[in-house]
Amino acid sequence: MMTTTMPLSRLLAEQTTTQVCPVDLLDDSLLTRCREWQTTEQTKYNCDHDDYLRSFTPGQYQGVVANYLSFNTAQSTGHFLDRARLFEECTGGVINFAEATDIAEDPIKDIGSASSTGAELYDAYLMIYSFTSEASSLGL
């Protein structure tokens, strides 16, 4: 089975729907099998860790990958790694962490500026407050 991935930003921009068994279209035996499958799919995910995760539909981001550019993650935002694991267990969505070499330059190279397009590899960034004015001066 081939899984198609879609950037998180694109998925959130589109209307998302939860797949349900079409009761008007399926005969009883197919409807029973469809409901069994749906129950099995939902039990693959665990959203019971906290109230925030319980707000998601189990498996709602299955196949979606978000790329996060971080810096010194283990020390600066180590809890992000734990939260990303719990998010994946609940929604099926994967957050890939990449480490920036230069926290001031790398995000700007990816985002680009008002006059040039960046690499656009990442969906989110760890930005340090002292560098946001530099990004702002580039028209971001």
Side-chain angles (χ1 to χ4, degrees):
M1 182 175 130
M2 183 178 196
T3 302
T4 304
T5 60
M6 179 184 302
L8 183 60
S9 55
R10 185 186 310 155
L11 178 73
L12 294 176
E14 295 179 4
Q15 292 288 2
T16 57
T17 57
T18 303
Q19 184 176 3
V20 294
C21 300
V23 289
D24 297 346
L25 301 175
L26 300 177
D27 65 39
D28 288 341
S29 66
L30 284 175
L31 185 57
T32 300
R33 287 177 35 206
C34 180
R35 286 182 173 152
E36 287 171 358
W37 171 84
Q38 191 170 12
T39 300
T40 302
E41 283 295 299
Q42 288 179 341
T43 58
K44 288 185 345 187
Y45 304 100
N46 179 7
C47 296
D48 291 331
H49 296 288
D50 58 44
D51 287 338
Y52 177 71
L53 290 172
R54 279 189 281 280
S55 71
F56 290 98
T57 301
Q60 81 182 70
Y61 294 121
Q62 178 61 46
V64 177
V65 176
N67 296 308
Y68 181 76
L69 183 62
S70 188
F71 183 76
N72 200 16
T73 307
Q75 286 75 36
S76 64
T77 54
H79 63 287
F80 282 15
L81 299 171
D82 294 332
R83 293 299 295 171
R85 182 185 50 78
L86 296 175
F87 180 80
E88 183 175 355
E89 286 178 13
C90 171
T91 67
V94 176
I95 301 173
N96 292 324
F97 287 82
E99 294 290 322
T101 306
D102 184 326
I103 191 63
E105 300 260 332
D106 292 353
I108 293 170
K109 287 178 185 173
D110 190 65
I111 295 169
S113 68
S115 61
S116 67
T117 303
E120 298 180 350
L121 299 175
Y122 300 98
D123 300 297
Y125 311 88
L126 172 66
M127 296 290 290
I128 295 176
Y129 179 74
S130 61
F131 296 127
T132 56
S133 61
E134 291 176 28
S136 183
S137 70
L138 294 173
L140 301 176

